[in-house]
Amino acid sequence: MIRFCSWQRRLALTGGIRWKATSSRVEKAESSVQDKAVKPFSAIPSPPGSLPFIGHIRLLKGLTSLSELTSKLFKDHGRIFRFDFIGYSSVFIADPSAVEKTFRHEGKYPSRSFTEANVDYILKQRNDRNFFVFQSGEEWRDTRSKLGKQLMPANVYGYCPGFNKVSRRFIRNVYDVQNDDGFVEDVRDLIRYWSLEVAAHFAYGADIDSIKNKGGLEKEFQDAVGGLVDTLFDLQTGPPLYKVFPTKAYREFNKYLDKLIEIGQVYADQYTSDIKERAAVSEEKFHGMSLLEQWLIEGKMSAKDAISHSINMLAAGMDTTAHTTAFVLYTLSKHPEVQEKAYKQITSVLGDDEEPDGDSLQKMPYLGHHIKETQRLYQVTPYTARWLETDVELLNYHIPAKTTIFGGLETMGQDPTLFKDPLKFNPDRWTTDDIHPFTVLPFGFGPRGCWGRRFAETEMKVLLCQVS
Ligand code: HEM
């Protein structure tokens, strides 16, 4: 097994803020639940100093991680607090039953937040509304229904041979950067290459060697995805001045999106040129074909839409999976007992030189528990988000319709009232402990939940098998 150094300090970029609930916080939360009278929205605890229209915007100044701020606010206010921001109020909750209730009220067209409308506005200006993650209402529902078939287990498992190949290449790359003592200092770039290569495999059927192609399209793609995510953050957390003039964030968002579309088109031209000849395929052959090929062959959407959705999958799956995988390897390196258990399970299912496929992966539940436990402590997104069309009552407070409700995943994942010994890394808790299902939701929930969950979990399990 490859030995990884522990890189906790350097990797704790977005999550990993640890704190212990103080008794006053828990008491405060419990007392509010015990008081049965429903209180008005204005009574929800909130940081002081909210100004007209801009609200608490001053608290965002100089912030590099929103979760840093919200962890503090949960500590200060308990399980629910209100945050005012450019004319809107959002509510943050750290209670699994309240998170569940929010999802149960999400309606036919779940929406993540009012900021979706901001992105929708920009896409309308571009006359470019076929990006799945940003779609809403009937348009979103229609797209999602057209993409259902590709999520079937047989289809996802059909990519295992490609995932194995890319994972073997990752290991070879890791060996290349090992030091004389057999340790690897920093594998973040290699993990990002791996996640781009697996995503390019299922999205386009591309076989990319990022190290060999250094400086090529892959690097441009990664930079564009990173840039897009950063500008999205700026667009969503600043006043919508781009409606008045093209702000820097607005121009950059468009620049990165144009770049992604350009690269998607290059991949599409390169890897689907023989699509017409392959149009008559049996169901069995269909599995294992790239997403783009399948969508083009199915013909339920235009080629332009199919290309946009394939870029969307690549972009949505790349950094999320890389981040999670970095921490999966980190927790593996930190906990020899976890390595041992994973190794035993893998070798009890796979023979020498045998590679994992859908059947064998299903016989390795421990790998799933290891991933889930990693996600409990090291979240990609520290919140779930929903914007409801109807009023709802949460934790004895009235929440009016059209309020964004954020579920504090990071806070709940480390809450000692929800997890025994919460800072202990223990994958076995997922078989033994009684855990509320809405406490750890790294992929969100429901019809608007992560489209690529099965892809991500399969890729990571294949990598774990290859690493052992
Ligand atoms: C460990 C890796 C990943 C994590 C942690 C993750 C997490 C998430 C989360 C939290 C959401 C929002 C869900 C909600 O609002 O309920 C989401 C949405 C989405 N994810 Fe992932 N994701 C991962 C990998 C992937 C991959 C590999 C793909 C593509 C194959 C993908 C495609 C999407 C898409 C398209 C959406 C938007 C779905 C919609 O709006 O209907 N994700 N993801």
Side-chain angles (χ1 to χ4, degrees):
M1 204 180 247
I2 294 171
R3 288 182 298 159
F4 292 97
C5 295
S6 61
W7 343 270
Q8 181 183 19
R9 283 188 51 228
R10 270 187 257 166
L11 270 181
L13 298 175
T14 55
I17 290 163
R18 298 172 169 218
W19 55 277
K20 281 192 177 153
T22 59
S23 56
S24 65
R25 173 183 154 266
V26 174
E27 279 157 20
K28 215 188 274 180
E30 280 171 357
S31 67
S32 78
V33 175
Q34 278 156 17
D35 178 1
K36 289 282 177 255
V38 177
K39 296 176 199 151
F41 189 63
S42 58
I44 298 176
S46 177
S50 174
L51 295 171
F53 185 68
I54 60 170
H56 292 110
I57 205 164
R58 70 183 167 84
L59 296 180
L60 298 176
K61 205 168 168 228
L63 210 67
T64 50
S65 148
L66 261 186
S67 71
E68 208 174 297
L69 173 66
T70 50
S71 295
K72 179 182 176 308
L73 295 178
F74 275 126
K75 263 197 271 184
D76 292 347
H77 299 293
R79 288 181 196 206
I80 181 163
F81 68 85
R82 205 191 71 230
F83 192 86
D84 305 328
F85 177 64
I86 48 168
Y88 296 91
S89 288
S90 303
V91 167
F92 287 75
I93 48 175
D95 177 280
S97 302
V99 172
E100 174 169 13
K101 194 167 177 186
T102 306
F103 278 112
R104 302 287 177 214
H105 281 72
E106 68 181 1
K108 197 172 165 195
Y109 306 116
S111 166
R112 274 183 274 274
S113 94
F114 69 87
T115 54
E116 262 172 27
N118 296 353
V119 179
D120 198 39
Y121 170 88
I122 299 175
L123 295 178
K124 265 187 202 146
Q125 304 291 303
R126 295 172 54 95
N127 204 9
D128 204 359
R129 300 180 61 201
N130 35 5
F131 283 90
F132 179 33
V133 173
F134 304 129
Q135 285 179 334
S136 54
E138 191 56 59
E139 196 176 40
W140 160 78
R141 207 178 155 86
D142 179 54
T143 303
R144 184 115 191 180
S145 71
K146 286 178 184 156
L147 308 182
K149 195 169 181 181
Q150 283 66 36
L151 286 180
M152 304 306 278
N155 192 58
V156 180
Y157 291 142
Y159 298 118
C160 278
F163 294 168
N164 275 299
K165 184 175 178 190
V166 175
S167 300
R168 272 187 269 116
R169 184 156 56 219
F170 167 77
I171 290 165
R172 192 199 63 207
N173 292 337
V174 171
Y175 274 123
D176 285 347
V177 295
Q178 263 180 340
N179 68 19
D180 292 345
D181 299 324
F183 280 98
V184 179
E185 278 295 332
D186 189 344
V187 286
R188 282 174 299 178
D189 278 350
L190 298 185
I191 293 172
R192 277 193 100 210
Y193 290 148
W194 166 83
S195 86
L196 173 67
E197 290 173 20
V198 280
H201 170 69
F202 67 67
Y204 300 104
D207 183 10
I208 291 171
D209 185 335
S210 310
I211 297 274
K212 274 198 190 144
N213 292 357
K214 243 184 184 162
L217 272 192
E218 290 63 46
K219 174 87 179 75
E220 287 183 38
F221 192 92
Q222 287 184 334
D223 290 348
V225 171
L228 195 77
V229 172
D230 287 347
T231 52
L232 263 179
F233 182 82
D234 292 344
L235 290 172
Q236 293 181 341
T237 55
L241 295 176
Y242 51 81
K243 291 189 178 172
V244 187
F245 67 98
T247 58
K248 185 165 177 261
Y250 176 89
R251 281 181 275 121
E252 295 208 331
F253 177 86
N254 281 315
K255 181 184 84 185
Y256 291 126
L257 201 54
D258 286 343
K259 183 47 104 185
L260 289 177
I261 292 169
E262 183 192 314
I263 298 175
Q265 187 63 56
V266 173
Y267 283 148
D269 292 345
Q270 199 171 338
Y271 295 103
T272 57
S273 54
D274 58 349
I275 196 78
K276 287 209 176 70
E277 296 88 82
R278 300 175 69 186
V281 287
S282 69
E283 191 65 11
E284 200 180 325
K285 262 184 152 177
F286 201 72
H287 299 312
M289 289 181 88
S290 73
L291 296 178
L292 181 59
E293 285 172 314
Q294 294 190 20
W295 293 331
L296 291 174
I297 288 171
E298 276 180 344
K300 289 185 195 162
M301 59 182 97
S302 69
K304 184 177 180 226
D305 283 2
I307 292 171
S308 295
H309 297 320
S310 64
I311 298 165
N312 197 143
M313 297 311 170
L314 212 67
M318 201 182 78
D319 279 350
T320 45
T321 311
H323 173 103
T324 308
T325 305
F327 280 105
V328 164
L329 294 178
Y330 167 70
T331 50
L332 196 68
S333 76
K334 283 287 276 185
H335 302 282
E337 73 290 354
V338 174
Q339 282 192 33
E340 196 53 39
K341 276 196 171 181
Y343 181 75
K344 270 199 182 131
Q345 182 151 93
I346 293 164
T347 50
S348 72
V349 176
L350 295 179
D352 287 351
D353 297 330
E354 199 183 338
E355 299 208 303
D357 59 13
D359 287 341
S360 49
L361 288 180
Q362 288 176 73
K363 295 179 190 145
M364 303 178 196
Y366 189 75
L367 304 189
H369 297 149
H370 172 203
I371 293 169
K372 183 118 187 183
E373 180 68 347
T374 303
Q375 291 179 306
R376 177 179 73 83
L377 287 169
Y378 306 100
Q379 322 267 345
V380 174
T381 51
Y383 325 103
T384 58
R386 283 297 180 268
W387 189 80
L388 302 188
E389 289 285 354
T390 52
D391 292 12
V392 67
E393 179 201 313
L394 296 175
L395 296 164
N396 284 346
Y397 290 99
H398 174 81
I399 317 288
K402 305 193 189 310
T403 304
T404 305
I405 302 166
F406 291 102
L409 294 177
E410 191 173 54
T411 302
M412 289 190 293
Q414 300 179 21
D415 185 337
T417 66
L418 299 172
F419 289 97
K420 200 170 124 200
D421 213 353
L423 298 186
K424 184 171 177 212
F425 187 78
N426 175 19
D428 289 324
R429 72 170 81 242
W430 293 100
T431 50
T432 53
D433 291 5
D434 187 13
I435 300 170
H436 192 296
F438 285 77
T439 313
V440 177
L441 294 172
F443 296 102
F445 178 78
R448 188 104 220 205
C450 176
W451 186 89
R453 175 181 185 160
R454 198 170 273 145
F455 285 83
E457 288 176 338
T458 306
E459 294 164 23
M460 290 190 282
K461 287 178 189 172
V462 166
L463 181 66
L464 282 172
C465 290
Q466 288 288 353
V467 165
S468 34

